[in-house]
mmCIF file of all heavy atoms in Angstrom:
data_model
loop_
_atom_site.group_PDB
_atom_site.id
_atom_site.type_symbol
_atom_site.label_atom_id
_atom_site.label_comp_id
_atom_site.label_asym_id
_atom_site.label_seq_id
_atom_site.Cartn_x
_atom_site.Cartn_y
_atom_site.Cartn_z
ATOM 1 N N ASP A 389 33.989 86.414 306.969
ATOM 2 C CA ASP A 389 32.944 85.580 307.427
ATOM 3 C C ASP A 389 33.308 84.132 307.311
ATOM 4 O O ASP A 389 33.869 83.706 306.349
ATOM 5 C CB ASP A 389 31.653 85.830 306.604
ATOM 6 C CG ASP A 389 31.111 87.261 306.785
ATOM 7 O OD1 ASP A 389 31.441 87.840 307.823
ATOM 8 O OD2 ASP A 389 30.363 87.743 305.926
ATOM 9 N N GLY A 390 32.935 83.309 308.284
ATOM 10 C CA GLY A 390 33.185 81.870 308.221
ATOM 11 C C GLY A 390 34.591 81.479 308.325
ATOM 12 O O GLY A 390 34.971 80.386 307.901
ATOM 13 N N GLY A 391 35.475 82.384 308.882
ATOM 14 C CA GLY A 391 36.886 81.932 309.139
ATOM 15 C C GLY A 391 37.839 82.485 308.135
ATOM 16 O O GLY A 391 39.004 82.140 308.148
ATOM 17 N N GLY A 392 37.391 83.387 307.211
ATOM 18 C CA GLY A 392 38.370 84.013 306.273
ATOM 19 C C GLY A 392 39.345 84.899 306.950
ATOM 20 O O GLY A 392 39.120 85.390 308.081
ATOM 21 N N THR A 393 40.465 85.120 306.264
ATOM 22 C CA THR A 393 41.513 85.929 306.906
ATOM 23 C C THR A 393 41.324 87.428 306.771
ATOM 24 O O THR A 393 41.944 88.218 307.510
ATOM 25 C CB THR A 393 42.918 85.591 306.306
ATOM 26 O OG1 THR A 393 42.911 85.980 304.907
ATOM 27 C CG2 THR A 393 43.119 84.047 306.376
ATOM 28 N N GLY A 394 40.488 87.891 305.818
ATOM 29 C CA GLY A 394 40.312 89.276 305.544
ATOM 30 C C GLY A 394 41.520 89.928 304.797
ATOM 31 O O GLY A 394 41.627 91.142 304.685
ATOM 32 N N ALA A 395 42.364 89.055 304.261
ATOM 33 C CA ALA A 395 43.567 89.475 303.561
ATOM 34 C C ALA A 395 43.195 90.311 302.263
ATOM 35 O O ALA A 395 42.283 89.968 301.611
ATOM 36 C CB ALA A 395 44.457 88.336 303.221
ATOM 37 N N THR A 396 43.978 91.348 302.027
ATOM 38 C CA THR A 396 43.917 92.019 300.744
ATOM 39 C C THR A 396 45.167 91.615 299.941
ATOM 40 O O THR A 396 46.277 91.807 300.413
ATOM 41 C CB THR A 396 43.873 93.563 300.884
ATOM 42 O OG1 THR A 396 42.750 93.960 301.627
ATOM 43 C CG2 THR A 396 43.957 94.232 299.553
ATOM 44 N N ILE A 397 44.951 90.978 298.787
ATOM 45 C CA ILE A 397 46.014 90.337 298.034
ATOM 46 C C ILE A 397 46.126 90.989 296.677
ATOM 47 O O ILE A 397 45.129 91.076 295.970
ATOM 48 C CB ILE A 397 45.807 88.822 297.892
ATOM 49 C CG1 ILE A 397 45.515 88.176 299.318
ATOM 50 C CG2 ILE A 397 46.982 88.124 297.261
ATOM 51 C CD1 ILE A 397 45.055 86.765 299.251
ATOM 52 N N ALA A 398 47.317 91.446 296.308
ATOM 53 C CA ALA A 398 47.566 92.047 294.990
ATOM 54 C C ALA A 398 47.972 91.048 293.970
ATOM 55 O O ALA A 398 48.424 90.002 294.291
ATOM 56 C CB ALA A 398 48.622 93.172 295.205
ATOM 57 N N ASP A 399 47.865 91.495 292.727
ATOM 58 C CA ASP A 399 48.361 90.714 291.591
ATOM 59 C C ASP A 399 47.680 89.357 291.402
ATOM 60 O O ASP A 399 48.274 88.402 290.823
ATOM 61 C CB ASP A 399 49.872 90.591 291.608
ATOM 62 C CG ASP A 399 50.599 91.955 291.531
ATOM 63 O OD1 ASP A 399 50.090 92.761 290.831
ATOM 64 O OD2 ASP A 399 51.632 92.061 292.197
ATOM 65 N N MET A 400 46.486 89.207 291.840
ATOM 66 C CA MET A 400 45.779 87.919 291.769
ATOM 67 C C MET A 400 45.595 87.582 290.318
ATOM 68 O O MET A 400 45.361 88.464 289.463
ATOM 69 C CB MET A 400 44.441 87.964 292.529
ATOM 70 C CG MET A 400 44.550 88.158 293.984
ATOM 71 S SD MET A 400 44.966 86.630 294.826
ATOM 72 C CE MET A 400 43.311 86.018 295.171
ATOM 73 N N VAL A 401 45.565 86.238 289.983
ATOM 74 C CA VAL A 401 45.163 85.769 288.676
ATOM 75 C C VAL A 401 43.685 85.415 288.692
ATOM 76 O O VAL A 401 43.215 84.619 289.501
ATOM 77 C CB VAL A 401 45.983 84.439 288.433
ATOM 78 C CG1 VAL A 401 45.613 83.923 287.011
ATOM 79 C CG2 VAL A 401 47.531 84.814 288.391
ATOM 80 N N GLN A 402 42.945 86.023 287.815
ATOM 81 C CA GLN A 402 41.541 85.735 287.694
ATOM 82 C C GLN A 402 41.371 84.605 286.609
ATOM 83 O O GLN A 402 42.035 84.631 285.611
ATOM 84 C CB GLN A 402 40.772 86.986 287.186
ATOM 85 C CG GLN A 402 39.198 86.686 287.183
ATOM 86 C CD GLN A 402 38.449 87.941 286.682
ATOM 87 O OE1 GLN A 402 38.894 89.025 286.930
ATOM 88 N NE2 GLN A 402 37.406 87.736 285.954
ATOM 89 N N THR A 403 40.496 83.641 286.922
ATOM 90 C CA THR A 403 40.291 82.479 286.079
ATOM 91 C C THR A 403 38.845 82.121 285.884
ATOM 92 O O THR A 403 38.075 82.345 286.827
ATOM 93 C CB THR A 403 41.069 81.288 286.517
ATOM 94 O OG1 THR A 403 40.917 80.233 285.639
ATOM 95 C CG2 THR A 403 40.695 80.856 287.948
ATOM 96 N N SER A 404 38.532 81.505 284.752
ATOM 97 C CA SER A 404 37.165 80.983 284.534
ATOM 98 C C SER A 404 37.078 79.555 284.946
ATOM 99 O O SER A 404 35.961 78.933 284.927
ATOM 100 C CB SER A 404 36.800 81.141 283.040
ATOM 101 O OG SER A 404 37.623 80.367 282.235
ATOM 102 N N ALA A 405 38.231 78.937 285.302
ATOM 103 C CA ALA A 405 38.121 77.508 285.831
ATOM 104 C C ALA A 405 37.357 77.520 287.121
ATOM 105 O O ALA A 405 37.482 78.420 287.949
ATOM 106 C CB ALA A 405 39.582 77.018 286.041
ATOM 107 N N ALA A 406 36.489 76.530 287.252
ATOM 108 C CA ALA A 406 35.634 76.455 288.432
ATOM 109 C C ALA A 406 36.440 76.349 289.713
ATOM 110 O O ALA A 406 37.294 75.446 289.849
ATOM 111 C CB ALA A 406 34.671 75.261 288.281
ATOM 112 N N ILE A 407 36.192 77.249 290.636
ATOM 113 C CA ILE A 407 36.806 77.275 291.962
ATOM 114 C C ILE A 407 35.670 77.059 292.955
ATOM 115 O O ILE A 407 34.901 77.963 293.206
ATOM 116 C CB ILE A 407 37.557 78.609 292.256
ATOM 117 C CG1 ILE A 407 38.572 78.861 291.114
ATOM 118 C CG2 ILE A 407 38.236 78.501 293.630
ATOM 119 C CD1 ILE A 407 39.685 77.845 291.034
ATOM 120 N N ASN A 408 35.642 75.886 293.543
ATOM 121 C CA ASN A 408 34.593 75.546 294.511
ATOM 122 C C ASN A 408 35.108 75.330 295.903
ATOM 123 O O ASN A 408 36.318 75.185 296.071
ATOM 124 C CB ASN A 408 33.849 74.256 294.013
ATOM 125 C CG ASN A 408 32.987 74.539 292.841
ATOM 126 O OD1 ASN A 408 31.990 75.317 292.885
ATOM 127 N ND2 ASN A 408 33.276 73.916 291.676
ATOM 128 N N PRO A 409 34.214 75.247 296.916
ATOM 129 C CA PRO A 409 34.681 75.029 298.261
ATOM 130 C C PRO A 409 35.511 73.760 298.328
ATOM 131 O O PRO A 409 35.113 72.683 297.830
ATOM 132 C CB PRO A 409 33.374 74.893 299.050
ATOM 133 C CG PRO A 409 32.401 75.724 298.306
ATOM 134 C CD PRO A 409 32.763 75.550 296.807
ATOM 135 N N GLY A 410 36.716 73.858 298.886
ATOM 136 C CA GLY A 410 37.670 72.748 298.934
ATOM 137 C C GLY A 410 38.829 72.898 297.914
ATOM 138 O O GLY A 410 39.795 72.207 298.140
ATOM 139 N N ASN A 411 38.620 73.720 296.904
ATOM 140 C CA ASN A 411 39.698 74.024 295.969
ATOM 141 C C ASN A 411 40.786 74.830 296.579
ATOM 142 O O ASN A 411 41.987 74.834 296.047
ATOM 143 C CB ASN A 411 39.194 74.708 294.708
ATOM 144 C CG ASN A 411 38.758 73.732 293.633
ATOM 145 O OD1 ASN A 411 37.637 73.783 293.169
ATOM 146 N ND2 ASN A 411 39.695 72.934 293.137
ATOM 147 N N SER A 412 40.553 75.549 297.640
ATOM 148 C CA SER A 412 41.469 76.496 298.236
ATOM 149 C C SER A 412 42.772 75.696 298.564
ATOM 150 O O SER A 412 42.769 74.700 299.138
ATOM 151 C CB SER A 412 40.911 77.044 299.527
ATOM 152 O OG SER A 412 39.956 78.041 299.248
ATOM 153 N N GLY A 413 43.855 76.366 298.191
ATOM 154 C CA GLY A 413 45.193 75.825 298.458
ATOM 155 C C GLY A 413 45.665 74.842 297.376
ATOM 156 O O GLY A 413 46.851 74.371 297.474
ATOM 157 N N GLY A 414 44.868 74.539 296.429
ATOM 158 C CA GLY A 414 45.255 73.598 295.367
ATOM 159 C C GLY A 414 46.111 74.269 294.285
ATOM 160 O O GLY A 414 46.760 75.271 294.534
ATOM 161 N N ALA A 415 46.095 73.755 293.057
ATOM 162 C CA ALA A 415 46.988 74.189 292.001
ATOM 163 C C ALA A 415 46.246 74.690 290.808
ATOM 164 O O ALA A 415 45.286 74.002 290.370
ATOM 165 C CB ALA A 415 47.930 73.126 291.583
ATOM 166 N N LEU A 416 46.500 75.868 290.318
ATOM 167 C CA LEU A 416 46.125 76.337 289.032
ATOM 168 C C LEU A 416 47.353 76.227 288.139
ATOM 169 O O LEU A 416 48.379 76.871 288.297
ATOM 170 C CB LEU A 416 45.653 77.824 289.121
ATOM 171 C CG LEU A 416 44.966 78.377 287.898
ATOM 172 C CD1 LEU A 416 43.607 77.742 287.605
ATOM 173 C CD2 LEU A 416 44.786 79.878 287.910
ATOM 174 N N VAL A 417 47.243 75.365 287.100
ATOM 175 C CA VAL A 417 48.427 75.057 286.278
ATOM 176 C C VAL A 417 48.226 75.337 284.833
ATOM 177 O O VAL A 417 47.056 75.283 284.349
ATOM 178 C CB VAL A 417 48.782 73.509 286.448
ATOM 179 C CG1 VAL A 417 49.083 73.230 287.918
ATOM 180 C CG2 VAL A 417 47.753 72.611 285.839
ATOM 181 N N ASN A 418 49.324 75.649 284.062
ATOM 182 C CA ASN A 418 49.254 75.880 282.636
ATOM 183 C C ASN A 418 49.482 74.577 281.929
ATOM 184 O O ASN A 418 49.729 73.535 282.560
ATOM 185 C CB ASN A 418 50.198 76.994 282.236
ATOM 186 C CG ASN A 418 51.630 76.683 282.568
ATOM 187 O OD1 ASN A 418 51.982 75.455 282.731
ATOM 188 N ND2 ASN A 418 52.451 77.689 282.610
ATOM 189 N N LEU A 419 49.435 74.600 280.571
ATOM 190 C CA LEU A 419 49.610 73.404 279.835
ATOM 191 C C LEU A 419 51.035 72.958 279.716
ATOM 192 O O LEU A 419 51.332 71.892 279.101
ATOM 193 C CB LEU A 419 49.025 73.538 278.448
ATOM 194 C CG LEU A 419 47.454 73.661 278.399
ATOM 195 C CD1 LEU A 419 46.932 73.603 276.961
ATOM 196 C CD2 LEU A 419 46.793 72.557 279.248
#
Side-chain angles (χ1 to χ4, degrees):
D389 295 339
T393 67
T396 297
I397 308 170
D399 297 325
M400 295 278 272
V401 178
Q402 182 181 329
T403 180
S404 64
I407 305 297
N408 285 298
N411 269 123
S412 287
L416 187 70
V417 303
N418 59 22
L419 291 188

